[in-house]
């Protein structure tokens, strides 16, 4: 049987009520599962990171660092602010942190900065963890946004072609009526 472990109304995790003997078994099984979870977090294509309350990275998976053109060892101990322009930092500090304080979660699109100075579109999800720690998940959506824009342009072009066809049909009808 599991129950939610809450902190100030926020779900932290699901726990188990076990007697001391079962707790030992649970702990070993839990360690095994944590090992698999750590492996999954390191292998996923989604960027994942843990940050202290002040915004300093304490852990990140290779995908997170690579997305910004870094390796994890170069970013751990540094702040997330180094990966965004001043206007994006202001946006996160005002809108995102306000919602994060109110609900414990925030999701939005930002423009990230790579190590080489180039920018890219990134979807970021933040969640409040224990002791003010932040959990960050992100993914590069540049390709997705580009495809979406191309689709919109194609639809606009199709609408324009349809309008031209309607006008051409009207002109032909008018010409035939004059005969």
């Amino acid at each position: 049987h599991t129950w939610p472990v809450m902190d100030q109304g926020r779900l932290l995790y699901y726990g188990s009520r076990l007697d001391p003997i079962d707790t030992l078994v649970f702990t070993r099984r839990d360690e095994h599962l944590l090992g698999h979870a750590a492996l999954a977090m390191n292998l996923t294509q989604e960027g994942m990171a843990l940050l202290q309350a002040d915004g300093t990275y304490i852990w990140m998976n290779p995908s997170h660092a690579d997305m910004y053109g870094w390796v994890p060892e170069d970013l751990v101990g540094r702040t997330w602010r180094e990966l965004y322009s001043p206007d994006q930092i202001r946006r996160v500090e005002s809108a995102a942190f306000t919602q994060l304080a109110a609900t414990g979660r925030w999701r939005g699109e930002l423009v990230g900065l790579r190590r080489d100075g180039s920018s890219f579109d990134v979807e970021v999800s933040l969640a409040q963890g224990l002791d003010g720690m932040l959990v960050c998940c992100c993914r590069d959506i540049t390709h997705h946004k580009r495809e979406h824009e191309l689709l919109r342009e194609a639809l606009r072009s199709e609408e324009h072609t349809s309008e031209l066809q309607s006008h051409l049909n009207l002109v032909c009808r008018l010409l035939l009526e004059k005969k």
Side-chain angles (χ1 to χ4, degrees):
H1 294 61
T2 62
W3 82 102
V5 176
M6 309 290 281
D7 179 39
Q8 298 177 0
R10 290 189 206 141
L11 175 67
L12 300 178
Y13 58 90
Y14 283 93
S16 210
R17 289 190 180 143
L18 302 169
D19 64 47
I21 294 172
D22 287 340
T23 302
L24 180 62
V25 172
F26 177 78
T27 302
R28 288 186 182 146
R29 185 177 63 228
D30 194 43
E31 286 176 9
H32 180 74
L33 292 174
L34 285 175
H36 285 289
L39 179 64
M41 288 187 289
N42 277 311
L43 294 177
T44 184
Q45 293 180 12
E46 307 295 319
M48 299 180 80
L50 299 175
L51 301 93
Q52 293 177 350
D54 67 357
T56 303
Y57 286 108
I58 57 173
W59 175 86
M60 70 181 56
N61 68 358
S63 295
H64 186 92
D66 185 59
M67 193 178 310
Y68 293 89
W70 296 84
V71 294
E73 295 78 26
D74 291 339
L75 287 175
V76 170
R78 297 168 81 169
T79 175
W80 65 269
R81 291 169 182 86
E82 295 181 42
L83 304 178
Y84 297 94
S85 67
D87 65 313
Q88 294 293 292
I89 293 169
R90 281 189 296 276
R91 182 170 170 234
V92 170
E93 289 177 340
S94 62
F97 284 173
T98 300
Q99 183 177 343
L100 195 60
T103 66
R105 296 171 183 248
W106 176 82
R107 178 183 302 229
E109 292 181 10
L110 298 170
V111 178
L113 296 176
R114 291 191 179 97
R115 187 177 197 168
D116 66 7
S118 64
S119 61
F120 67 104
D121 296 307
V122 59
E123 181 181 57
V124 177
S125 296
L126 298 173
Q128 192 74 47
L130 297 172
D131 300 323
M133 189 180 297
L134 293 175
V135 178
C136 174
C137 296
C138 57
R139 65 186 180 106
D140 185 337
I141 58 170
T142 306
H143 184 72
H144 174 73
K145 285 186 82 166
R146 203 172 299 140
E147 285 179 346
H148 193 262
E149 185 56 36
L150 287 173
L151 179 59
R152 264 193 283 190
E153 287 175 17
L155 289 173
R156 278 193 294 259
S157 176
E158 186 177 306
E159 288 172 3
H160 183 67
T161 301
S162 180
E163 284 179 32
L164 287 174
Q165 184 65 43
S166 294
H167 291 302
L168 183 58
N169 288 343
L170 178 62
V171 169
C172 287
R173 213 172 324 123
L174 289 172
L175 287 173
L176 288 173
E177 287 176 5
K178 283 190 173 187
K179 288 186 178 186

